[in-house]
Amino acid sequence: MADQFSKLSVEKQKRIINAALKEFSLKGYRDASTNEIVKEANISKGSLFHYFVDKKSLYMYLYDYSINEFMSEFTSVVNYEDKDYLNRLYSAFVLKINMIKKHPDLFDFLLKVTQESDIEISTDILDNNIKVVKKGFEMLYSDLDKSMFKEDFELSDALNLIEKSFYGLGMMAQNEIRMAVTNDDILDKYFKQADEMLKLLRKVLYKNQ
Amino acid sequence: MADQFSKLSVEKQKRIINAALKEFSLKGYRDASTNEIVKEANISKGSLFHYFVDKKSLYMYLYDYSINEFMSEFTSVVNYEDKDYLNRLYSAFVLKINMIKKHPDLFDFLLKVTQESDIEISTDILDNNIKVVKKGFEMLYSDLDKSMFKEDFELSDALNLIEKSFYGLGMMAQNEIRMAVTNDDILDKYFKQADEMLKLLRKVLYKNQ
DNA sequence: AAATATATTGACCGCTTTGGTCAATATAGA
DNA sequence: TCTATATTGACCAAAGCGGTCAATATATTT
């Protein structure tokens, strides 16, 4: 277990987690370098292998951690009582930005995990957990009230537009944050843009109630 | 120069170019492996270094090639006579998809170039050429007729929505193509989606003419 | 203050991969 | 058949890899 690791200060844990997420998400399991991780996290090589028995167990720890972080953020942000499609997609955007704020590379890491091929790790567990995440996303799109859309266009086209525009906004935010040094004003800007996009989409796609 | 290289059959050149673009875009200059490139391109190590004197000159050749491909595609697809904002953004989407079809990793490669840090290559030339590409993009958004938009919302919000939705569509297409083996039906699907998105946006954002 | 226990370090190990070379071979044209 | 060119892959020194461990720095106990 990562027992030694859990005794560390939260700040140090976060430093190590973020450094490792960055390296693994950038290069994948095989090409990720533990030397790079310790350099970025500002700890010694010996320490890393004191906290985690080897590279593989570090990877598995990160995977577990990421799934848990993601799911807990997910359940706290997405409100299933609200059946409005726009609100749901908006909350998915908020989810993404909040996650990036805490762990800039957690999203990319989870994405990279699903693309890992060479890994000799028990893929059963991985596959299973990926299913959990997928189910979460499906719930995001399920049990929605679509009666408030106007009727002079195809509903599917409207849903598509909403999905693509929030996805595009999310990707642009992610790219800009990746480049920048500090986050806060960028995040503000994108939250504001999301608000305005939400309002505009509601105005042009929903019936005037 | 890459004189030896230009004597090769077009098919072989393309194989090498695409293999190298893939490796460099995936791993960046330092971590890209010439061994991987020759394996993917199905040529011998000796051949690669017969065509290009070293790794750096291969990289520079690719950079030049990519800029040229991009700009020529750009000028052939984007029609500056058409002042319609939606049509311009739509043509940028078409540009992107066409490029991906020919060279699946050229876009990512050019993006990666702008993020290269460790490279000891004369960055003056690079910076300058990046400016050329940036100027191209600026022209995409310049001298547009915005008089056909409705007036019951902020113009900037509408432009934002259009930009984000086409960007989102482009990213989704790129991701899906990256995963898939064959392209054609995927491309068809996304061209169709782009058409429908264009129509819907025109309907809800433009005045009825 | 001394003694003990714990946390952290980085030089070091055997091994793999790196960019690049070059004598040997395969192919093509005369 | 002979010559010229294109292509190969075993080979090299150097660098980087995951992981170890004796030595040191820090915290805790007496």
Side-chain angles (χ1 to χ4, degrees):
Chain A
M1 264 301 114
D3 241 340
Q4 297 294 336
F5 184 67
S6 63
K7 289 180 202 157
L8 265 43
S9 76
V10 179
E11 186 273 337
K12 197 168 193 173
Q13 285 188 37
K14 201 172 166 183
R15 236 167 54 220
I16 296 169
I17 287 172
N18 281 342
L21 285 176
K22 183 177 174 182
E23 182 71 5
F24 279 119
S25 70
L26 223 52
K27 304 187 183 168
Y29 178 74
R30 207 199 59 192
D31 293 342
S33 159
T34 52
N35 292 324
E36 286 296 319
I37 293 171
V38 300
K39 207 192 291 173
E40 173 93 12
N42 222 23
I43 59 170
S44 71
K45 190 87 165 284
S47 285
L48 183 67
F49 286 98
H50 180 58
Y51 308 144
F52 302 95
V53 294
D54 59 12
K55 190 183 180 183
K56 196 193 289 186
S57 84
L58 166 61
Y59 187 82
M60 292 308 289
Y61 173 85
L62 285 177
Y63 179 69
D64 245 55
Y65 177 85
S66 298
I67 292 278
N68 286 338
E69 280 290 293
F70 178 78
M71 290 310 290
S72 79
E73 185 79 11
F74 193 95
T75 50
S76 92
V77 165
V78 177
N79 171 19
Y80 292 112
E81 301 305 309
D82 190 342
K83 309 296 184 192
D84 184 291
Y85 190 76
L86 273 168
N87 287 345
R88 284 271 181 94
L89 270 271
Y90 178 80
S91 67
F93 173 82
V94 172
L95 162 70
K96 183 165 188 176
I97 300 298
N98 282 346
M99 295 277 296
I100 289 173
K101 200 170 180 175
K102 258 202 230 169
H103 300 293
D105 302 289
L106 192 147
F107 250 91
D108 287 346
F109 173 77
L110 281 176
L111 187 70
K112 200 85 173 185
V113 169
T114 69
Q115 299 165 354
E116 277 296 346
S117 52
D118 65 297
I119 227 160
E120 69 291 350
I121 281 162
S122 132
T123 37
D124 299 340
I125 305 168
L126 291 180
D127 280 358
N128 197 50
N129 279 334
I130 288 163
K131 271 176 201 154
V132 173
V133 176
K134 258 191 188 149
K135 192 150 202 170
F137 268 111
E138 273 162 28
M139 282 173 72
L140 192 66
Y141 293 96
S142 71
D143 191 24
L144 288 161
D145 178 13
K146 292 157 186 167
S147 64
M148 64 281 275
F149 283 95
K150 290 179 185 169
E151 272 140 17
D152 55 344
F153 45 71
E154 286 287 332
L155 178 64
S156 64
D157 291 345
L159 300 183
N160 232 323
L161 175 65
I162 294 168
E163 187 195 3
K164 263 68 184 180
S165 53
F166 274 109
Y167 181 74
L169 191 67
M171 290 304 296
M172 280 195 180
Q174 197 177 357
N175 288 339
E176 202 169 323
I177 288 164
R178 213 186 310 240
M179 306 291 191
V181 194
T182 51
N183 280 344
D184 284 354
D185 25 341
I186 297 175
L187 295 176
D188 269 10
K189 185 178 82 180
Y190 277 98
F191 275 126
K192 209 167 283 177
Q193 281 196 30
D195 276 338
E196 269 142 24
M197 211 161 79
L198 184 70
K199 266 190 276 179
L200 177 58
L201 284 166
R202 180 162 282 134
K203 174 170 232 158
V204 299
L205 298 179
Y206 280 17
K207 295 170 187 162
N208 314 325
Q209 89 283 42
Chain B
M1 264 304 110
D3 242 340
Q4 297 293 336
F5 184 67
S6 62
K7 290 179 200 156
L8 266 41
S9 75
V10 179
E11 186 273 335
K12 197 169 193 171
Q13 285 187 38
K14 201 172 167 184
R15 235 168 54 221
I16 295 169
I17 288 172
N18 281 341
L21 285 176
K22 182 176 173 182
E23 182 71 4
F24 279 119
S25 69
L26 222 52
K27 304 188 183 168
Y29 178 75
R30 207 198 60 192
D31 293 343
S33 158
T34 52
N35 293 325
E36 285 295 319
I37 294 171
V38 300
K39 207 192 291 173
E40 173 95 12
N42 221 25
I43 59 170
S44 72
K45 190 86 166 285
S47 285
L48 183 68
F49 286 99
H50 179 58
Y51 308 143
F52 302 95
V53 295
D54 58 12
K55 190 183 179 182
K56 197 193 286 184
S57 84
L58 166 62
Y59 186 82
M60 292 307 288
Y61 173 84
L62 284 177
Y63 179 69
D64 245 55
Y65 177 85
S66 298
I67 292 279
N68 286 338
E69 280 289 293
F70 178 77
M71 291 309 290
S72 79
E73 185 79 12
F74 192 94
T75 49
S76 91
V77 165
V78 178
N79 172 19
Y80 292 111
E81 301 305 308
D82 190 341
K83 309 296 185 192
D84 184 291
Y85 189 76
L86 273 168
N87 287 345
R88 285 271 181 92
L89 271 272
Y90 178 80
S91 67
F93 174 81
V94 172
L95 162 70
K96 182 165 188 178
I97 299 298
N98 282 345
M99 294 276 296
I100 289 173
K101 202 170 179 175
K102 258 203 230 169
H103 300 294
D105 302 289
L106 192 145
F107 249 89
D108 286 346
F109 174 76
L110 281 176
L111 187 70
K112 201 85 174 185
V113 168
T114 68
Q115 298 165 354
E116 277 296 346
S117 52
D118 63 300
I119 227 159
E120 68 293 349
I121 281 161
S122 129
T123 38
D124 299 341
I125 306 168
L126 292 181
D127 280 358
N128 198 50
N129 279 334
I130 289 164
K131 271 176 201 153
V132 173
V133 175
K134 258 192 188 150
K135 193 151 202 170
F137 268 111
E138 274 164 26
M139 283 173 71
L140 192 66
Y141 293 97
S142 72
D143 191 23
L144 288 161
D145 178 13
K146 292 157 186 168
S147 63
M148 65 280 275
F149 282 94
K150 290 178 185 170
E151 272 141 17
D152 55 344
F153 45 72
E154 286 287 332
L155 178 65
S156 64
D157 290 346
L159 300 183
N160 232 321
L161 174 64
I162 294 168
E163 186 196 4
K164 264 67 184 179
S165 53
F166 274 109
Y167 181 74
L169 191 67
M171 290 304 296
M172 280 196 180
Q174 197 178 357
N175 288 339
E176 202 169 324
I177 288 165
R178 213 186 311 237
M179 306 291 191
V181 194
T182 51
N183 279 345
D184 284 354
D185 26 340
I186 297 175
L187 295 176
D188 268 9
K189 186 179 81 181
Y190 277 98
F191 276 125
K192 208 167 285 178
Q193 281 197 30
D195 277 337
E196 269 143 24
M197 212 162 77
L198 185 70
K199 267 190 278 179
L200 177 58
L201 284 166
R202 180 161 281 133
K203 174 171 231 157
V204 299
L205 298 179
Y206 281 17
K207 294 171 188 163
N208 312 327
Q209 87 284 40

